[in-house]
Amino acid sequence: MGGSLAYGAKDSTPLTVSTMIFVFGLSIFAFNYWDVFSLVEGTASTFHSSWVPLELLIAWRFSCFLAGAFAVIHMFKSGPGVMIVILHEERKEAVLHPVGIEKFVTFSSWTLVMNILYFLCAGVVSLSILTEYEVPLWLNFTQVILFSAALAASLLTATVVRYIILPGEVRIGRNHDQMFNIPNQMMHNLCAVFLVLDVILVQPELFPEFAFFGMTLGTIYASFAYLFAYYGGGYYIYSFLDPRLRYGPLWLSGLAGAIALFFIGVWCGVQIIGYNHWIGSVLMLIWLSLIVQFRTTLPEPESI
């Protein structure tokens, strides 16, 4: 991977950073033009009007929160991990073994954290509604924003892992058992599973404009990746995020656009669920089954 990176004769960093600023500015403009936060305020109540009892919904959401929290604890306690990165100065691939907080520089770990925060917020709000306690406006806003960004990011992460990362590992015959440990199963599979099931349980009212929350997340993560490589760890978790690449601006736009596109896909699914709950739910589950992978496809070594 390191040798195939497309570095042009000219450093693309200025253009990549300009693209990042443009995408972020576009999101801010959209928030104001479509009054997105008014839409958020109006839709917050639909995150708790489920066809299942509210008590069961509360138990479900806190269970998802605890599962995510357990994965985070496991990441801290499980010792060194395995991370294949691109070194900033050398512009080549290297294998690192991060520990503790160092494991939280990946996009999938950000997805896990957002998943945890969403289920915590949504669980607290649902419990407040059950106990007739007034829910703060900021908490209602937070749960919708976290949900919109986390859902799109989780589906994108699961798709990339199944159809790009894992096939690449199998193709070169590299051992990738670490991709199926508890934290990675949570980040790459269960985050998407939990959020899709939450959609089916709750059928929240969503708007396509919420896709801009995912685009904003993409630019924020890219900014973090650049700063981390330049001033922090000295490496890129994903080679395509190196702003110096010939097609750096396109990769950045692709990341932000892909997150937004996955949210639009979910929005379409929610519309179908609203039309017919069973048909929409089945379609969402089929989509989910096509992007998650819980075990390796690498052949077992033949016994002698």
Side-chain angles (χ1 to χ4, degrees), residues 50-224:
S50 175
W51 53 274
V52 300
L54 187 56
E55 293 84 355
L56 182 59
L57 183 63
I58 292 170
W60 157 255
R61 285 175 163 169
F62 279 116
S63 295
C64 293
F65 161 71
L66 291 174
F70 175 77
V72 168
I73 294 172
H74 193 279
M75 290 174 71
F76 279 100
K77 296 177 63 177
S78 60
V82 178
M83 190 179 290
I84 302 166
V85 305
I86 298 297
L87 300 177
H88 175 70
E89 293 293 338
E90 295 83 352
R91 300 189 181 188
K92 66 179 183 180
E93 184 180 278
V95 178
L96 302 181
H97 300 282
V99 295
I101 196 67
E102 296 174 9
K103 297 180 181 180
F104 290 86
V105 298
T106 64
F107 185 73
S108 54
S109 66
W110 282 38
T111 300
L112 172 59
V113 171
M114 287 191 299
N115 187 280
I116 292 171
L117 292 176
Y118 163 69
F119 280 110
L120 176 60
C121 288
V124 168
V125 174
S126 294
L127 183 60
S128 298
I129 292 173
L130 180 66
T131 57
E132 299 182 351
Y133 183 81
E134 184 176 356
V135 180
L137 185 61
W138 67 266
L139 192 57
N140 273 321
F141 271 60
T142 301
Q143 68 165 346
V144 178
I145 294 171
L146 285 172
F147 173 84
S148 301
L151 179 56
S154 297
L155 293 173
L156 174 61
T157 297
T159 303
V160 169
V161 169
R162 174 163 181 173
Y163 290 102
I164 297 179
I165 296 178
L166 290 178
E169 296 294 290
V170 172
R171 186 166 53 250
I172 64 178
R174 179 161 53 195
N175 183 286
H176 54 278
D177 290 343
Q178 80 282 353
M179 296 292 288
F180 299 94
N181 60 24
I182 292 175
N184 280 317
Q185 291 280 23
M186 186 71 198
M187 290 185 288
H188 301 157
N189 295 310
L190 293 178
C191 280
V193 171
F194 289 168
L195 289 167
V196 168
L197 292 179
D198 203 66
V199 169
I200 294 173
L201 286 174
V202 181
Q203 304 171 48
E205 182 182 5
L206 301 177
F207 294 92
E209 291 86 349
F210 291 176
F212 285 100
F213 291 127
M215 290 184 64
T216 303
L217 170 66
T219 57
I220 291 174
Y221 181 77
S223 300
F224 163 79

Side-chain angles (χ1 to χ4, degrees), residues 216-238:
T216 303
L217 170 66
T219 57
I220 291 174
Y221 181 77
S223 300
F224 163 79
Y226 300 163
L227 293 173
F228 181 79
Y230 276 88
Y231 306 109
Y235 58 85
Y236 300 95
I237 304 301
Y238 311 104

